[in-house]
Amino acid sequence: MEKRIDGHTGLLALFGTPVGHSGSPAMYNFCFQHDGLNLAYMAFDVDIPDMEQTLSTVKLWNLRGGNFTMPCKNIAAELMDELSDASKIIGACNVFVNKDGKLYGDVTDGKGFIKNLSVNGIEIKGKKLVVLGAGGAATAIEVQAALDGAAEIAIFNRDDEFYARAEGTVEKLKKETPDVKVSVTKLEESDKLAEAVNNCDILINATSVGMKPMDGQSLIDTSLLRKDLVVADTVYNPEKTQLILDAEEAGCAAAIGGKGMLLWQGALNYELFVGKEMPVEEYQAFQAEQAK
């Protein structure tokens, strides 16, 4: 039996479906043990209709906090007692903490991405961004970049069901961050995409292009990649997408894959949970040992 589990152990959890593949329990439980914290993290398979009862149980059992994954991020935001500015704009949250029976929700997808850029020496403030995509991760990045003081954010998305979401994001950001120039254009308008990439500082792929079954593909023609351009991807499997490989070959100023986004998102969540920095280096060493 796990020796550290006792009658005083605090519980945190992941809610969503499916959750069996999640690496969050292994990551957080390693860090709790490393830091000598009497906490445990579990995963519960929960769908949208179960969420109201789930959060009532969270309060009843006094869970310390936790995370939400698909498809529960949007309904979770509706059921929180308080939301961060980013969560209010996006209408979703992926992390919560229990503050004396009140649930505070935040979204750390965008913060984790921007933290990963910062760790690699890239700052968002005052920069011109091109973001490919309008899904959940893309929206979180766009909103956080605006809140963090990006100068311009040009969103490009296919003419599909997510395009209307991007239009909504633009309108919200014009209201909430009026000093940031935000636009959305159809990805199919290749001339406008080329012009935007030629005039931006940071190019971000926040679509699924680059992962299976679209591995080996990129939305950006290699002729648009230049020495002073920063290129970043949200895809983490494969570790280097075709876009990142192309950016490296072109000698871009930086070519940053998506793996670090996951790590730093988790680290930000950990800090919300326990009020201290996550032992990132120790966890990375543990992962490397496990992979042998």
Side-chain angles (χ1 to χ4, degrees), residues 16 70 94 102 135 174 197 210 233 237 274 287:
M70 296 300 293
N94 73 316
K102 299 290 186 182
K174 284 181 177 178
V197 173
D233 210 320
N237 187 16
V274 303
Q287 277 189 309

Side-chain angles (χ1 to χ4, degrees), residues 204-215:
I204 300 165
N205 175 49
T207 75
S208 58
V209 176
M211 70 167 57
K212 291 183 178 180
M214 292 178 284
D215 49 326

Side-chain angles (χ1 to χ4, degrees), residues 83-183:
L83 289 172
S84 69
D85 290 341
S87 281
K88 288 176 185 177
I89 296 170
I90 298 167
C93 69
N94 73 316
V95 60
F96 76 96
V97 289
N98 187 344
K99 298 180 179 179
D100 300 319
K102 299 290 186 182
L103 303 185
Y104 169 83
D106 201 351
V107 56
T108 52
D109 296 316
K111 291 177 182 177
F113 180 86
I114 291 171
K115 173 67 174 180
N116 191 39
L117 292 185
S118 181
V119 166
N120 283 277
I122 309 301
E123 300 302 327
I124 286 286
K125 188 174 179 62
K127 300 295 177 60
K128 297 179 180 180
L129 279 59
V130 167
V131 183
L132 309 177
T139 303
I141 290 167
E142 290 150 9
V143 168
Q144 195 61 49
L147 291 173
D148 286 355
E152 295 184 16
I153 303 171
I155 304 168
F156 284 82
N157 195 77
R158 296 191 191 282
D159 189 9
D160 59 17
E161 67 273 17
F162 288 103
Y163 193 82
R165 176 190 287 187
E167 291 178 314
T169 299
V170 170
E171 291 309 309
K172 289 177 183 177
L173 290 178
K174 284 181 177 178
K175 179 180 178 182
E176 299 295 332
T177 56
D179 293 335
V180 183
K181 182 180 178 182
V182 188
S183 64

Side-chain angles (χ1 to χ4, degrees), residues 174-231:
K174 284 181 177 178
K175 179 180 178 182
E176 299 295 332
T177 56
D179 293 335
V180 183
K181 182 180 178 182
V182 188
S183 64
V184 58
T185 306
K186 293 180 175 61
L187 189 61
E188 291 83 355
E189 297 185 44
S190 56
D191 289 347
K192 291 184 179 179
L193 174 61
E195 182 182 0
V197 173
N198 284 332
N199 288 285
C200 79
D201 301 300
I202 305 172
L203 169 66
I204 300 165
N205 175 49
T207 75
S208 58
V209 176
M211 70 167 57
K212 291 183 178 180
M214 292 178 284
D215 49 326
Q217 298 181 33
S218 172
L219 294 170
I220 300 297
D221 190 280
T222 55
S223 65
L224 297 175
L225 303 175
R226 61 183 196 275
K227 303 289 186 184
D228 63 340
L229 180 66
V230 171
V231 178

